[in-house]
Amino acid sequence: MIIVLKPEASEENQERIKKDIESFGLKVWVSRGEFRTIMGVIGDETPLRDMPLSLYPGVEKVIPILKPYRLVDREHKGEDTIITLSTGTAIGGKEIVVMAGPCSVENRESTLKIARSVKKAGAKALRGGAFKPRTSPYSFQGLGMEGLKILKEAREETGLAVVTEVTDPRNVGLISEYADILQIGARNMHNYDLLKEVGKVRKPVLLKRGLSSTVKEWLLAAEYILNQGNNEVMFCERGIRTFEDSTRFTLDISAVPLLKKTSHLPVIVDPSHAAGRKDLIPAISKAAIASGADGLLIEVHFDPLQALSDALQTITIAEFSQLMEELRALASVLGRKL
Amino acid sequence: MIIVLKPEASEENQERIKKDIESFGLKVWVSRGEFRTIMGVIGDETPLRDMPLSLYPGVEKVIPILKPYRLVDREHKGEDTIITLSTGTAIGGKEIVVMAGPCSVENRESTLKIARSVKKAGAKALRGGAFKPRTSPYSFQGLGMEGLKILKEAREETGLAVVTEVTDPRNVGLISEYADILQIGARNMHNYDLLKEVGKVRKPVLLKRGLSSTVKEWLLAAEYILNQGNNEVMFCERGIRTFEDSTRFTLDISAVPLLKKTSHLPVIVDPSHAAGRKDLIPAISKAAIASGADGLLIEVHFDPLQALSDALQTITIAEFSQLMEELRALASVLGRKL
Amino acid sequence: MIIVLKPEASEENQERIKKDIESFGLKVWVSRGEFRTIMGVIGDETPLRDMPLSLYPGVEKVIPILKPYRLVDREHKGEDTIITLSTGTAIGGKEIVVMAGPCSVENRESTLKIARSVKKAGAKALRGGAFKPRTSPYSFQGLGMEGLKILKEAREETGLAVVTEVTDPRNVGLISEYADILQIGARNMHNYDLLKEVGKVRKPVLLKRGLSSTVKEWLLAAEYILNQGNNEVMFCERGIRTFEDSTRFTLDISAVPLLKKTSHLPVIVDPSHAAGRKDLIPAISKAAIASGADGLLIEVHFDPLQALSDALQTITIAEFSQLMEELRALASVLGRKL
Amino acid sequence: MIIVLKPEASEENQERIKKDIESFGLKVWVSRGEFRTIMGVIGDETPLRDMPLSLYPGVEKVIPILKPYRLVDREHKGEDTIITLSTGTAIGGKEIVVMAGPCSVENRESTLKIARSVKKAGAKALRGGAFKPRTSPYSFQGLGMEGLKILKEAREETGLAVVTEVTDPRNVGLISEYADILQIGARNMHNYDLLKEVGKVRKPVLLKRGLSSTVKEWLLAAEYILNQGNNEVMFCERGIRTFEDSTRFTLDISAVPLLKKTSHLPVIVDPSHAAGRKDLIPAISKAAIASGADGLLIEVHFDPLQALSDALQTITIAEFSQLMEELRALASVLGRKL
């Protein structure tokens, strides 16, 4: 931690800062420059994080040097984390894992039909929401418990892993019994009570990026989960909110290689929510793979016109199968497989 | 709802759209223009909201005409909603209500000391967090239950109403027994399970704007609460996330008059979180009052250097008293009182 | 300037950095911490600004300590800059200066009529565009030279100062002969050729904030002008681009007190472009004054329905006169006059 | 154009709107719904664009139906525009065109050395700035005329086309004599005087996206150029400004397929400015190609430590050659060549 003093800071100001920092057992050095005096802290600055050093008399600004996260950091763990699902699929290794399915679980028949089709096209996991967070209270809110049972049946029949969203800390235990991957949605990335709860179970977590979260805040959200003992977290980039309104969100493609460098955890991309329109999904999916993503999360339906939610960004099974072909060719050139 | 057809749309395309909309008991009109054919829906378009009309063959775009919210709309209720707290303070009327106090409840002594001081300066409510959502898992997380008891004691001694945050749907009942106003924080504005839960109790709710929520989404979040039967909601503008980094967030001052025109619910402004730095708080507070806000939520501490969180944006009691004087003069010119 | 080294940086890495910095005649200190080694530069870091220190082997990050601007800084000049126009009006002092008029100069009659009316209501300057930058090539592009002559006539008749926009470096000389204040529009804040050109004349400049400029970049744009010898620059906050779409831009009210603290130059607010809708203009104008602005720039027309551009955000003369009354009362409470 | 009336709009209100629109020779239809009356305009709504219909008494909102641009629209011209440079390279066809070189032209030796190397690695054009727009007036501003001559020499020796930036309308003629492609930088995308000027010459234009421009505004900026008679415009996505600060800008990868669908003009991607850090450039370049871009604009230097600007985002020649290999493999899988 670096503390820059104001030109007018007094000796007394310096002494107070020094004394208070040293009370945490840390050492302080001082460098007097032509324009500014600078103080630095030697040692682990974590205990100082909540200390309002900027408010101390004579302080101009405080600059943290160490990163605020630790467990998710590649400096903490050098090798890639590979998450092996109970179905045997490994996420974060050589294989690119595609998770596909309807936005919401609508009924038994349609879910099973979609599950069989995406499995055939090469998907390794079935996505589908049973508990849906919706912007409007007047929109379809999901089948709840009923939906979980349908997902479980689809899992048993097809061997696909199941990814489904958890929105309420009270439901974490229940959903863990049905799902292979617990999804934390974008609107809940900052829901710390929920993060702590999924940190206590032993289920892989797919952590979507908050609509307006920086990569650093996203890493800290994952840190909440790892800090509770659950190390199997994968990031899912799904677009951030910007001024551009011709797509639903702006997919931050640079976040993919950035996360791969910064953290050891796998990175998934959700082109469907980012685009909000089906015509861009193939192009964005290819870009995601080319940028180094470990997997994709795609909304697929045999008849998007019948989908109860997110129909505009849902591709058909024929389009999905075609896309999988193209992604397979791409993966091979990139030294991966799909 | 208006449906714009593609130049190449066929008669058959039109017929299908017409038939499917009419199956909801609605009427459809058609206007053939030189460049585009347009279809319109007569009647309440709510049942069509989840219908993926844009995906129908031949459709170029779909434009909703009616607003997606109803209960919060000034068209639904013309007169201002005035929320009377159990302490007798009325929010949303002629009086400008200032809520002040520490970011977090730290201990009994400091909380009581601050409560007495802000009361003396003219505050009508005491703010203070017992359950704190923090970006880092390594930051102070609040006193929990212990904090609630301290707030209650401060309330009893001073007569100030208590505003405190609820983050977990499991705690809504408990916190309702201690607080006069339930605060929903910015990071939970989209936490629908929590919104529904506070909609079920009969306590005023202070609904902070999400970091990246449009005014329309914020109105819909309030609609969730009113839709459950709780009509006592006040909005709290606290800044949105933008590219500007010299302040913590960008206070959207225009949202104040916009909400007052669009909705009948009161509007509060939180200058502390918006600025993230204490030196701007007096200027922003005055701007908020001048723009028509019904109240302010301000972080105050007798010694910000001792505050366990948000110290940088916390003003001292002396600064607060001085600000209250200035706001009082301003209020009188604006035809209000404080 | 602080240089943080990677944990694995070698002695050799350090030596190279030291040597290259010292070649600029600067001194370097080194502090070895438990986790990181830090190097610091003593002296004026300006010559190092274009040096890619972050790329040097062993460097983790580089943190500048000194501000990148100098002439606009309040540290450089402590007292407020007061700009006195040739009409005698002083901007940046006790008086709040209101500049009003049509978006574009449309014709002689309407311009004179508006000029007389805003003068009567208390405006001190007439705004009006002769050269208009428009998003669409199919929109009205301004009267050009013809417009300048009309503005001059209005100036002579009413005694109002004239504010008009300059968009092309080739026109700076010409427009300087007609205008009292040269306006640099938001879309040209980064047009450095234009900034340099207005820096060479001796006319006050009203520098609008770029749609997506940080306050720091805005200060640097002003620095370009002062650096050429023209010290009479005033900032004009007119809203930044964010995700919120219920207003045209998001007025950054906090930028007003922030600029007043950081710089000695006057600050004006343009509520018309920020809101993009006339119903919010009175509330935003009051907020601007309350936050400490030195003036306002408002679009006024006797019949907005006839305005050739920006009609939606233009208030009538009656509305303007009423607003001026309210602002006058507000100014007096704030210790200023209008 | 659709006009939605307020519930309380009168017959008289309707009549006035109808009459004024019909004065442009257009027809109007009216549809009375249960909640709202809607009026529509039949015919080309262009003449109505500057008409402030929203201000008419009784109007709730006005919704344009037709797009504001025409010449750049794929509806106007179905087949892809292919721009053939004087060097024979075709942009917008099957080939992916890579333009590489230093940020600024620094001196004759280094420029020629870089030119030869990028040519050898497969680049088809040499990028390099002679007139540099810089955020700080204290940064290196380019070699100007001297730089143009160096670029010309490099062009003659290597056969590479030359891409260089034009920032001042007064220099368009001059630079056109030296460059094969005129670059309009992000900060000038809204500089309409400059757009008109490059519209008058017969040189291909590379139009970078403004930092905070929507795709629609970008299309309109290109429309300015085409409207002057210059049809050879290519878009260049280089990242938009968002709240994310771990990269310099946020590359909007979805804009690539979106533009390819909406317009017939070629699309280039600049990964260097988007990322602002060299370690992410290979991944982003691959993503760009996979998303359908027609080319790349990359900053390359044999020794980034010696680069006078943008060194942090400049890759070495070895890194560039390696990247070209990888891109070549990728292109072949995508049915393109490089």
Side-chain angles (χ1 to χ4, degrees):
Chain A
M1 185 171 284
I2 302 284
I3 299 148
V4 183
L5 299 187
K6 289 181 183 160
E8 69 269 22
S10 66
E11 274 301 316
E12 202 182 40
N13 293 160
Q14 270 186 48
E15 278 314 304
R16 179 165 180 199
I17 295 165
K18 202 155 174 292
K19 213 191 76 200
D20 285 8
I21 291 176
E22 289 175 350
S23 74
F24 286 94
L26 296 163
K27 290 216 184 85
V28 177
W29 51 260
V30 177
S31 157
R32 271 173 205 77
E34 193 179 337
F35 299 97
R36 293 283 189 280
T37 293
I38 289 171
M39 303 177 72
V41 177
I42 297 178
D44 179 8
E45 64 197 47
T46 313
L48 306 180
R49 258 211 196 111
D50 283 332
M51 193 181 164
L53 280 166
S54 325
L55 286 187
Y56 273 61
V59 173
E60 184 168 293
K61 61 177 166 181
V62 175
I63 304 162
I65 296 295
L66 300 181
K67 298 172 198 162
Y69 44 81
R70 200 162 43 86
L71 303 173
V72 298
D73 193 355
R74 205 174 262 284
E75 272 189 48
H76 172 73
K77 174 169 182 283
E79 71 280 17
D80 287 343
T81 287
I82 296 181
I83 301 172
T84 305
L85 306 180
S86 56
T87 55
T89 297
I91 302 177
K94 202 181 170 184
E95 187 175 359
I96 290 169
V97 176
V98 178
M99 317 180 190
C103 174
S104 314
V105 176
E106 288 152 12
N107 60 56
R108 191 178 163 278
E109 279 68 24
S110 73
T111 306
L112 287 175
K113 189 169 167 186
I114 296 169
R116 284 175 210 128
S117 307
V118 298
K119 161 89 179 182
K120 200 174 150 203
K124 291 293 162 62
L126 175 69
R127 58 147 296 149
F131 294 90
K132 299 296 303 172
R134 303 301 301 275
T135 311
S136 164
Y138 307 120
S139 294
F140 173 64
Q141 310 270 324
L143 291 185
M145 192 58 209
E146 178 68 18
L148 292 181
K149 287 182 185 156
I150 294 171
L151 287 170
K152 195 178 182 182
E153 188 180 342
R155 181 188 188 285
E156 278 162 14
E157 188 192 314
T158 60
L160 290 169
V162 157
V163 192
T164 198
E165 183 165 356
V166 52
T167 62
D168 189 325
R170 294 170 293 194
N171 290 338
V172 170
L174 177 71
I175 296 179
S176 295
E177 291 170 30
Y178 290 85
D180 297 285
I181 302 176
L182 299 176
Q183 176 180 321
I184 301 288
R187 287 172 183 74
N188 279 310
M189 194 209 83
H190 279 300
N191 185 341
Y192 304 116
D193 293 301
L194 185 60
L195 295 179
K196 286 178 194 166
E197 213 64 37
V198 300
K200 288 176 196 151
V201 295
R202 288 300 163 269
K203 275 284 168 185
V205 176
L206 181 144
L207 178 65
K208 288 202 162 186
R209 180 178 187 175
L211 273 64
S212 61
S213 294
T214 60
V215 168
K216 201 170 99 181
E217 290 168 341
W218 195 10
L219 287 161
L220 277 166
E223 186 88 1
Y224 258 96
I225 302 172
L226 271 69
N227 193 39
Q228 294 289 334
N230 186 351
N231 299 313
E232 302 199 310
V233 174
M234 61 197 95
F235 294 104
C236 179
E237 164 65 33
R238 44 78 71 206
I240 56 174
R241 179 154 277 182
T242 70
F243 60 82
E244 176 58 63
D245 58 1
S246 55
T247 44
R248 193 168 169 191
F249 294 99
T250 298
L251 188 87
D252 181 6
I253 195 79
S254 313
V256 178
L258 181 62
L259 281 171
K260 294 299 291 180
K261 277 171 203 291
T262 314
S263 175
H264 49 86
L265 299 169
V267 181
I268 308 295
V269 168
D270 172 350
S272 309
H273 281 84
R277 39 187 286 176
K278 52 178 288 186
D279 58 348
L280 308 181
I281 289 171
I284 302 178
S285 297
K286 287 181 221 167
I289 295 307
S291 75
D294 297 303
L296 295 169
L297 187 69
I298 305 182
E299 293 189 349
V300 179
H301 200 290
F302 54 89
D303 182 4
L305 285 184
Q306 287 182 33
L308 292 182
S309 52
D310 279 356
L312 307 192
Q313 66 198 39
T314 298
I315 58 175
T316 63
I317 284 164
E319 289 160 341
F320 178 67
S321 303
Q322 160 80 28
L323 174 59
M324 288 295 278
E325 282 309 312
E326 295 174 25
L327 294 177
R328 206 162 281 130
L330 211 58
S332 74
V333 179
L334 297 161
R336 302 191 74 163
K337 72 190 183 87
L338 179 150
Chain B
M1 184 171 283
I2 301 285
I3 299 148
V4 182
L5 300 186
K6 288 180 185 161
E8 68 271 21
S10 67
E11 274 301 317
E12 203 181 39
N13 294 159
Q14 270 186 48
E15 278 314 304
R16 178 164 179 199
I17 296 165
K18 202 157 175 289
K19 212 190 78 198
D20 285 7
I21 292 176
E22 288 175 351
S23 74
F24 286 94
L26 296 162
K27 290 216 184 85
V28 177
W29 50 260
V30 177
S31 157
R32 270 171 206 80
E34 195 179 337
F35 299 97
R36 290 286 188 278
T37 292
I38 289 168
M39 302 176 73
V41 178
I42 297 177
D44 180 8
E45 64 198 44
T46 314
L48 305 181
R49 278 243 165 85
D50 284 332
M51 193 180 163
L53 279 166
S54 327
L55 286 187
Y56 273 61
V59 172
E60 183 167 295
K61 63 177 165 180
V62 175
I63 305 161
I65 296 297
L66 300 180
K67 299 173 197 159
Y69 44 81
R70 199 162 43 87
L71 303 173
V72 299
D73 193 356
R74 205 174 262 284
E75 271 188 50
H76 172 74
K77 175 167 181 283
E79 71 280 17
D80 286 344
T81 286
I82 295 180
I83 300 173
T84 306
L85 306 178
S86 56
T87 56
T89 297
I91 301 177
K94 202 179 170 185
E95 189 174 359
I96 290 169
V97 176
V98 178
M99 318 180 189
C103 174
S104 313
V105 176
E106 288 151 11
N107 59 55
R108 191 177 163 278
E109 280 67 27
S110 74
T111 306
L112 287 174
K113 189 169 168 186
I114 295 169
R116 285 175 210 126
S117 306
V118 299
K119 161 89 181 183
K120 200 175 150 203
K124 291 294 161 62
L126 175 68
R127 59 147 294 147
F131 295 90
K132 300 295 303 172
R134 303 300 301 276
T135 310
S136 165
Y138 306 119
S139 294
F140 173 63
Q141 310 270 325
L143 292 185
M145 191 60 206
E146 177 67 17
L148 292 181
K149 287 182 185 155
I150 294 170
L151 286 170
K152 195 179 183 182
E153 188 179 343
R155 181 188 187 285
E156 276 162 15
E157 189 192 313
T158 60
L160 289 170
V162 158
V163 193
T164 199
E165 183 166 356
V166 51
T167 62
D168 188 324
R170 294 169 293 195
N171 289 339
V172 170
L174 177 71
I175 296 179
S176 295
E177 289 170 31
Y178 290 84
D180 297 286
I181 302 176
L182 300 175
Q183 177 181 320
I184 301 289
R187 286 172 183 74
N188 279 309
M189 195 209 81
H190 280 301
N191 184 339
Y192 304 117
D193 292 302
L194 185 60
L195 295 179
K196 286 179 194 165
E197 213 65 36
V198 299
K200 287 177 195 151
V201 295
R202 290 298 163 271
K203 275 283 170 187
V205 176
L206 182 143
L207 179 65
K208 288 203 162 184
R209 182 178 185 174
L211 274 64
S212 62
S213 294
T214 60
V215 168
K216 202 171 98 180
E217 290 168 341
W218 196 9
L219 287 161
L220 277 166
E223 185 88 2
Y224 258 97
I225 304 173
L226 271 71
N227 193 39
Q228 294 288 334
N230 186 351
N231 298 312
E232 301 199 311
V233 174
M234 61 196 95
F235 294 105
C236 179
E237 165 64 33
R238 44 79 71 207
I240 55 174
R241 179 153 276 181
T242 70
F243 60 82
E244 177 58 61
D245 58 2
S246 55
T247 44
R248 193 168 170 193
F249 294 99
T250 299
L251 188 86
D252 181 6
I253 195 79
S254 312
V256 178
L258 181 62
L259 281 171
K260 294 298 292 180
K261 276 171 203 293
T262 314
S263 176
H264 49 87
L265 299 170
V267 180
I268 309 295
V269 168
D270 172 350
S272 309
H273 282 83
R277 39 188 285 175
K278 50 179 289 186
D279 58 348
L280 307 181
I281 289 171
I284 302 178
S285 297
K286 288 181 221 167
I289 295 307
S291 75
D294 297 304
L296 294 169
L297 186 71
I298 305 182
E299 293 189 349
V300 178
H301 200 290
F302 54 89
D303 182 4
L305 284 184
Q306 289 181 32
L308 292 182
S309 51
D310 279 357
L312 307 193
Q313 65 199 39
T314 299
I315 58 175
T316 64
I317 283 162
E319 290 160 341
F320 178 67
S321 303
Q322 161 80 28
L323 173 59
M324 287 296 278
E325 282 308 314
E326 295 175 24
L327 293 177
R328 207 164 279 131
L330 209 58
S332 76
V333 179
L334 297 161
R336 303 191 73 162
K337 72 193 184 82
L338 178 149
Chain C
M1 186 171 282
I2 301 284
I3 299 148
V4 183
L5 300 186
K6 287 182 186 160
E8 68 270 22
S10 67
E11 273 302 317
E12 201 182 41
N13 294 159
Q14 269 186 49
E15 278 315 303
R16 177 164 180 198
I17 296 165
K18 204 157 172 291
K19 212 190 76 198
D20 286 8
I21 292 176
E22 287 174 351
S23 73
F24 287 93
L26 296 163
K27 290 217 184 83
V28 177
W29 50 260
V30 177
S31 157
R32 270 172 206 78
E34 192 178 338
F35 299 97
R36 292 285 188 277
T37 292
I38 289 169
M39 303 176 73
V41 177
I42 296 178
D44 180 6
E45 64 197 46
T46 313
L48 307 180
R49 277 244 167 85
D50 284 330
M51 193 180 163
L53 280 166
S54 325
L55 287 188
Y56 274 61
V59 173
E60 183 167 296
K61 62 177 165 181
V62 174
I63 303 162
I65 294 298
L66 300 180
K67 298 173 198 162
Y69 44 82
R70 198 164 44 87
L71 303 172
V72 298
D73 194 355
R74 205 173 262 284
E75 272 188 48
H76 171 75
K77 174 167 182 283
E79 71 280 17
D80 286 342
T81 286
I82 296 182
I83 300 172
T84 306
L85 306 179
S86 56
T87 55
T89 297
I91 302 178
K94 201 179 170 185
E95 188 175 359
I96 289 168
V97 176
V98 178
M99 317 180 190
C103 175
S104 315
V105 177
E106 288 152 11
N107 59 56
R108 190 176 165 278
E109 280 67 26
S110 73
T111 306
L112 287 175
K113 189 169 168 186
I114 295 169
R116 285 175 210 127
S117 306
V118 299
K119 162 88 179 181
K120 199 174 149 204
K124 291 294 161 62
L126 176 68
R127 59 147 295 147
F131 295 90
K132 300 295 302 172
R134 303 300 301 276
T135 310
S136 165
Y138 307 119
S139 294
F140 173 63
Q141 309 269 325
L143 291 185
M145 192 58 207
E146 176 68 16
L148 292 182
K149 288 182 184 156
I150 294 171
L151 286 170
K152 195 179 184 182
E153 187 180 343
R155 182 188 187 285
E156 277 161 16
E157 188 192 313
T158 59
L160 289 170
V162 157
V163 192
T164 198
E165 184 166 356
V166 51
T167 63
D168 189 326
R170 295 170 293 194
N171 291 337
V172 171
L174 177 72
I175 297 179
S176 294
E177 291 170 30
Y178 290 85
D180 298 284
I181 302 175
L182 299 175
Q183 177 181 320
I184 300 287
R187 285 171 184 75
N188 279 309
M189 195 208 83
H190 279 300
N191 184 340
Y192 304 116
D193 293 301
L194 185 60
L195 296 179
K196 286 178 193 166
E197 213 64 38
V198 300
K200 287 176 195 152
V201 296
R202 290 298 164 271
K203 275 284 168 187
V205 176
L206 181 143
L207 179 65
K208 288 201 163 187
R209 181 178 188 174
L211 273 64
S212 61
S213 295
T214 60
V215 168
K216 202 171 97 181
E217 290 167 340
W218 196 10
L219 288 160
L220 277 166
E223 186 88 3
Y224 258 97
I225 303 173
L226 271 71
N227 193 39
Q228 295 287 335
N230 186 350
N231 298 313
E232 302 198 310
V233 174
M234 62 197 94
F235 294 105
C236 179
E237 164 64 32
R238 45 77 73 207
I240 55 173
R241 179 152 278 180
T242 70
F243 61 82
E244 177 58 60
D245 58 2
S246 55
T247 44
R248 192 168 169 191
F249 294 99
T250 299
L251 188 87
D252 181 6
I253 195 79
S254 312
V256 178
L258 180 62
L259 281 171
K260 295 299 291 178
K261 276 170 204 291
T262 314
S263 176
H264 50 87
L265 299 169
V267 181
I268 309 295
V269 169
D270 173 350
S272 309
H273 281 84
R277 39 187 284 177
K278 51 178 290 184
D279 57 349
L280 308 181
I281 290 171
I284 302 177
S285 298
K286 287 181 220 166
I289 295 307
S291 75
D294 297 303
L296 294 170
L297 186 71
I298 305 182
E299 293 190 347
V300 178
H301 199 291
F302 54 88
D303 183 4
L305 285 184
Q306 288 181 31
L308 292 183
S309 51
D310 279 357
L312 307 193
Q313 65 199 38
T314 299
I315 60 174
T316 63
I317 284 162
E319 289 161 341
F320 179 67
S321 304
Q322 161 79 27
L323 173 59
M324 287 296 277
E325 283 309 312
E326 295 174 24
L327 293 177
R328 207 163 279 131
L330 209 58
S332 75
V333 180
L334 297 161
R336 301 191 75 163
K337 73 193 182 84
L338 177 150
Chain D
M1 185 171 283
I2 301 284
I3 300 147
V4 183
L5 301 186
K6 288 181 184 160
E8 67 271 21
S10 67
E11 274 301 316
E12 204 182 37
N13 293 159
Q14 270 187 45
E15 278 315 304
R16 179 165 179 198
I17 296 165
K18 203 158 173 291
K19 212 190 77 200
D20 286 7
I21 292 176
E22 288 175 350
S23 74
F24 287 92
L26 296 163
K27 290 217 184 86
V28 177
W29 51 259
V30 177
S31 157
R32 270 171 206 81
E34 194 179 337
F35 299 97
R36 292 285 188 280
T37 292
I38 290 169
M39 302 176 73
V41 177
I42 297 178
D44 180 7
E45 64 197 47
T46 314
L48 305 181
R49 256 202 203 119
D50 284 332
M51 193 181 163
L53 280 166
S54 325
L55 287 187
Y56 274 61
V59 172
E60 184 167 295
K61 63 176 165 181
V62 174
I63 304 161
I65 296 296
L66 300 181
K67 299 172 196 160
Y69 44 81
R70 199 162 44 87
L71 303 173
V72 299
D73 193 355
R74 206 174 261 284
E75 272 189 47
H76 172 73
K77 174 167 181 284
E79 71 279 18
D80 286 344
T81 286
I82 296 182
I83 299 173
T84 305
L85 306 179
S86 56
T87 55
T89 297
I91 303 177
K94 201 180 171 186
E95 188 174 0
I96 290 169
V97 177
V98 178
M99 317 181 191
C103 175
S104 314
V105 176
E106 288 152 12
N107 60 56
R108 189 176 165 279
E109 280 66 28
S110 74
T111 305
L112 287 175
K113 189 169 167 186
I114 296 169
R116 285 175 211 128
S117 307
V118 299
K119 161 90 179 181
K120 198 174 151 204
K124 292 293 162 62
L126 175 69
R127 59 146 295 148
F131 295 90
K132 299 296 302 173
R134 303 300 301 274
T135 310
S136 164
Y138 307 120
S139 294
F140 173 63
Q141 310 269 324
L143 292 185
M145 191 59 207
E146 176 68 16
L148 291 183
K149 287 181 187 156
I150 295 170
L151 287 170
K152 196 178 182 181
E153 188 180 343
R155 181 187 187 285
E156 277 161 16
E157 188 191 314
T158 59
L160 288 170
V162 157
V163 193
T164 198
E165 183 166 355
V166 51
T167 63
D168 189 325
R170 294 170 294 194
N171 291 339
V172 170
L174 177 72
I175 297 180
S176 294
E177 291 169 30
Y178 290 84
D180 298 285
I181 302 176
L182 300 175
Q183 177 181 320
I184 301 287
R187 286 172 184 75
N188 279 310
M189 194 208 81
H190 279 301
N191 185 340
Y192 303 116
D193 292 302
L194 185 60
L195 296 180
K196 286 178 194 166
E197 214 63 38
V198 300
K200 287 176 195 150
V201 296
R202 289 299 162 270
K203 275 282 170 190
V205 175
L206 182 142
L207 179 65
K208 287 202 163 186
R209 182 179 185 173
L211 274 64
S212 62
S213 294
T214 59
V215 168
K216 202 171 97 180
E217 290 168 340
W218 196 10
L219 287 161
L220 277 165
E223 185 87 4
Y224 258 97
I225 303 173
L226 271 70
N227 193 39
Q228 295 287 335
N230 186 350
N231 298 313
E232 302 199 309
V233 174
M234 61 196 96
F235 294 104
C236 179
E237 165 64 33
R238 44 79 72 208
I240 56 173
R241 180 152 277 181
T242 70
F243 59 83
E244 177 58 61
D245 58 2
S246 55
T247 44
R248 192 168 170 193
F249 294 99
T250 299
L251 188 88
D252 181 7
I253 194 80
S254 312
V256 178
L258 182 61
L259 281 171
K260 295 299 291 177
K261 275 170 203 292
T262 314
S263 175
H264 50 87
L265 299 169
V267 181
I268 308 295
V269 168
D270 173 349
S272 309
H273 281 85
R277 39 188 285 178
K278 52 178 288 184
D279 58 349
L280 308 182
I281 289 172
I284 302 179
S285 298
K286 287 181 222 168
I289 295 306
S291 74
D294 297 303
L296 295 170
L297 187 70
I298 305 183
E299 293 190 348
V300 178
H301 200 291
F302 55 88
D303 183 4
L305 284 184
Q306 288 181 32
L308 293 182
S309 51
D310 280 357
L312 308 193
Q313 65 200 37
T314 298
I315 58 174
T316 63
I317 284 163
E319 289 160 342
F320 178 67
S321 303
Q322 159 82 26
L323 174 58
M324 287 296 277
E325 283 308 312
E326 295 175 24
L327 293 176
R328 206 162 281 131
L330 210 57
S332 74
V333 178
L334 296 161
R336 302 190 74 162
K337 72 193 184 85
L338 179 149

